[in-house]
Amino acid sequence: MHSTVKDFIEYSGISELLPNIPTAFKEINVQESVRIPNTKANIEQIAKVIADVVITNTVVITTPVGTSLEGQVLTGWKVVIEGELRETVEYISDELTQPVHAVNFNVPFGSCIILPQSFICGAKVTVNAYIEDIFLKKLDNRSFFKNICLLLVAEF
């Protein structure tokens, strides 16, 4: 994981290495608008965002086989993924002494990856998660919008 700075905000947790040629994968965006707790001071400026992703559960299920009118191909196998984004946002407070405060968030997410037709029932499937990008924008002195782009890769 490495850090990068955009618009004076340091983003930490973005994956440095991504898989070369994944075959079973899904990209998802986990986004939300967040209000900081009433016990915290107002936000003057966001300083740093630290993110990590944890896969909490996976299960392989059977699906129909076919192609939808939109072109999605179902092969008969899919891995259902449950995970959690663990995030810390550090910010400079809107107070005279400008202390740095931090708020923590655990954001659950779910997705699925279609497995190839050649998948063998009972084979072990491992899902790895990579943070491709983090974006955060202050909306007002109590809230901000954040979006994290994830790459989920199934290996079997």
Side-chain angles (χ1 to χ4, degrees), residues 12 18 20 35-36 39 47 57 64 69 72 84 88 91 93 99 103 117 123 135 144 152-153:
S12 179
L18 298 173
N20 277 341
R35 283 191 64 76
I36 59 172
T39 57
N57 191 38
L69 294 176
Q72 182 178 16
E84 186 175 83
T88 300
Y91 67 93
S93 68
V103 288
Q117 268 184 319
F135 170 75
F144 51 86
L152 304 173
V153 178

Side-chain angles (χ1 to χ4, degrees), residues 32-43 46 89 91 102-105 136-146:
E32 65 179 340
S33 294
V34 176
R35 283 191 64 76
I36 59 172
N38 291 334
T39 57
K40 297 284 188 178
N42 286 346
I43 302 167
I46 304 293
V89 177
Y91 67 93
V103 288
N104 297 303
F105 303 96
L136 190 133
K137 180 175 176 69
K138 177 182 159 186
L139 299 175
D140 58 38
N141 65 357
R142 302 292 304 164
S143 62
F144 51 86
F145 170 82
K146 59 188 172 67

Side-chain angles (χ1 to χ4, degrees), residues 117-129:
Q117 268 184 319
S118 61
F119 177 77
I120 298 170
C121 182
K124 182 180 178 186
V125 176
T126 303
V127 176
N128 294 308

Side-chain angles (χ1 to χ4, degrees), residues 1-147:
M1 293 189 293
H2 76 281
S3 294
T4 187
V5 177
K6 296 184 282 186
D7 296 326
F8 305 108
I9 301 173
E10 180 182 354
Y11 295 94
S12 179
I14 298 170
S15 298
E16 288 184 72
L17 298 174
L18 298 173
N20 277 341
I21 306 172
T23 56
F25 64 92
K26 172 79 69 84
E27 288 189 310
I28 65 170
N29 288 308
V30 180
Q31 54 186 259
E32 65 179 340
S33 294
V34 176
R35 283 191 64 76
I36 59 172
N38 291 334
T39 57
K40 297 284 188 178
N42 286 346
I43 302 167
E44 180 175 312
Q45 180 180 335
I46 304 293
K48 186 174 186 176
V49 180
I50 304 164
D52 189 28
V53 60
V54 176
I55 302 299
T56 57
N57 191 38
T58 60
V59 61
V60 174
I61 62 170
T62 58
T63 67
V65 175
T67 303
S68 72
L69 294 176
E70 293 87 14
Q72 182 178 16
V73 177
L74 294 179
T75 62
W77 300 104
K78 184 183 293 186
V79 60
V80 178
I81 304 151
E82 297 170 358
E84 186 175 83
L85 274 168
R86 297 177 181 170
E87 309 160 15
T88 300
V89 177
E90 297 177 358
Y91 67 93
I92 300 165
S93 68
D94 189 12
E95 296 176 340
L96 190 57
T97 57
Q98 294 190 308
V100 175
H101 290 266
V103 288
N104 297 303
F105 303 96
N106 290 337
V107 182
F109 68 89
S111 190
C112 59
I113 298 172
I114 297 170
L115 299 172
Q117 268 184 319
S118 61
F119 177 77
I120 298 170
C121 182
K124 182 180 178 186
V125 176
T126 303
V127 176
N128 294 308
Y130 304 88
I131 297 175
E132 292 184 308
D133 188 53
I134 305 170
F135 170 75
L136 190 133
K137 180 175 176 69
K138 177 182 159 186
L139 299 175
D140 58 38
N141 65 357
R142 302 292 304 164
S143 62
F144 51 86
F145 170 82
K146 59 188 172 67
N147 181 66

